[in-house]
Amino acid sequence: MRLIEGPISPAAISEIIFRGGTNTDSGAHSLFLGQVRKDLVDGKSVKAIEYSAYEEMVMMEANKILKSVMSEFTDVISIEILHSKGFVNAGEISLAVMVTSGHREQAIRACAKLVELIKEKLPIWKKEILEDDSEKWKQE
Amino acid sequence: MGINVLFFGVLTEVTGTHRKHYRGISSFSDLKYRIRDDFPGIENYNFRIAVNNRIVNEDPVLNDNDEVAYMPPFTGG
């Protein structure tokens, strides 16, 4: 798990794909990318999101998530999670999750589960920056 | 004892700060009352509390220099 300042770059995504490919026991990679959506809020469009995180706790909780998913999905070989902190513009990537496993079924299921756990368990918050530069904390 | 308190998300706006140090705290409930007195608006928000990176559901025993975090619902991803 890594917190990256700003958007997740295509280079960072390429790098995790490359790293996963170095393990020749793997037969499947499942990759999820989360993108900042240009939502309409109070009639104004979202131009960016500012992410903030309780970084120490993010790392502790991410380790727990990784352990639980690795023990539930025993075919999984490796997991990569990249999450943004700071500003990410609409249309840019703020989350990348890649699961590498022996076969496709567990790669896909484990990846879907990880995305849900990341949203539920990691102490990260988003503030929407609107087109007129007003700001609104995202409420769940 | 001294306690470091962190506020996150919308609570940084409610309190006007990300971090505040409290001295002379006798217990967790003492700390909660002090924070509520300092920032009365905080009671209008949903939040969970973590002590040293662990979410607590009941009032824990605090030790000197513990870190207490006030966290609104997570919205990452």
Side-chain angles (χ1 to χ4, degrees):
Chain A
M1 166 90 204
R2 273 192 295 153
L3 284 167
I4 289 176
E5 189 70 42
I8 313 292
S9 68
I13 295 163
S14 301
E15 190 192 315
I16 61 174
I17 295 171
F18 175 76
R19 268 211 303 273
T22 57
N23 187 318
T24 51
D25 291 334
S26 67
H29 309 290
S30 186
L31 175 65
F32 174 86
L33 300 176
Q35 174 171 306
V36 172
R37 192 174 46 239
K38 196 174 180 179
D39 270 338
L40 266 186
V41 178
D42 304 334
K44 297 170 229 167
S45 61
V46 170
K47 72 172 184 184
I49 283 179
E50 183 183 7
Y51 289 92
S52 53
Y54 186 7
E55 295 194 24
E56 209 179 311
M57 187 169 163
V58 165
M59 292 306 163
M60 281 183 57
E61 290 296 316
N63 281 336
K64 286 187 209 163
I65 289 172
L66 291 173
K67 275 186 191 151
S68 84
V69 169
M70 293 290 279
S71 63
E72 181 178 348
F73 299 94
T74 52
D75 195 37
V76 170
I77 295 164
S78 65
I79 296 169
E80 299 266 7
I81 302 171
L82 308 177
H83 197 299
S84 293
K85 59 179 178 174
F87 287 91
V88 182
N89 292 321
E92 292 180 325
I93 302 297
S94 57
L95 171 65
V97 180
M98 192 172 103
V99 179
T100 295
S101 64
H103 307 82
R104 69 183 180 281
E105 193 233 340
Q106 287 210 6
I108 293 167
R109 282 173 51 214
C111 188
K113 180 149 195 178
L114 277 162
V115 173
E116 296 309 312
L117 287 171
I118 286 164
K119 293 181 88 78
E120 180 191 338
K121 302 281 189 190
L122 298 189
I124 298 174
W125 297 272
K126 51 175 79 135
K127 184 163 69 175
E128 293 166 326
I129 316 295
L130 307 180
E131 58 186 332
D132 62 353
D133 289 327
S134 59
E135 300 174 346
K136 187 159 189 174
W137 286 97
K138 185 91 176 165
Q139 311 278 345
E140 282 294 30
Chain B
M1 62 189 149
I3 302 292
N4 297 306
V5 179
L6 304 178
F7 300 100
F8 289 97
V10 69
L11 300 181
T12 58
E13 281 181 14
V14 176
T15 61
T17 187
H18 173 54
R19 177 187 297 269
K20 182 163 177 161
H21 185 76
Y22 282 87
R23 287 203 176 92
I25 295 295
S26 61
S27 66
F28 187 69
S29 60
D30 177 33
L31 176 69
K32 284 200 296 188
Y33 286 125
R34 291 266 295 270
I35 291 171
R36 202 177 60 187
D37 286 348
D38 284 350
F39 312 110
I42 205 166
E43 290 297 307
N44 299 325
Y45 290 84
N46 288 326
F47 54 81
R48 284 185 288 175
I49 295 175
V51 177
N52 300 331
N53 301 302
R54 288 179 200 285
I55 290 174
V56 294
N57 295 310
E58 291 169 17
D59 288 9
V61 174
L62 290 180
N63 295 298
D64 195 30
N65 278 325
D66 275 352
E67 184 173 277
V68 172
Y70 274 60
M71 306 184 297
F74 305 155
T75 53

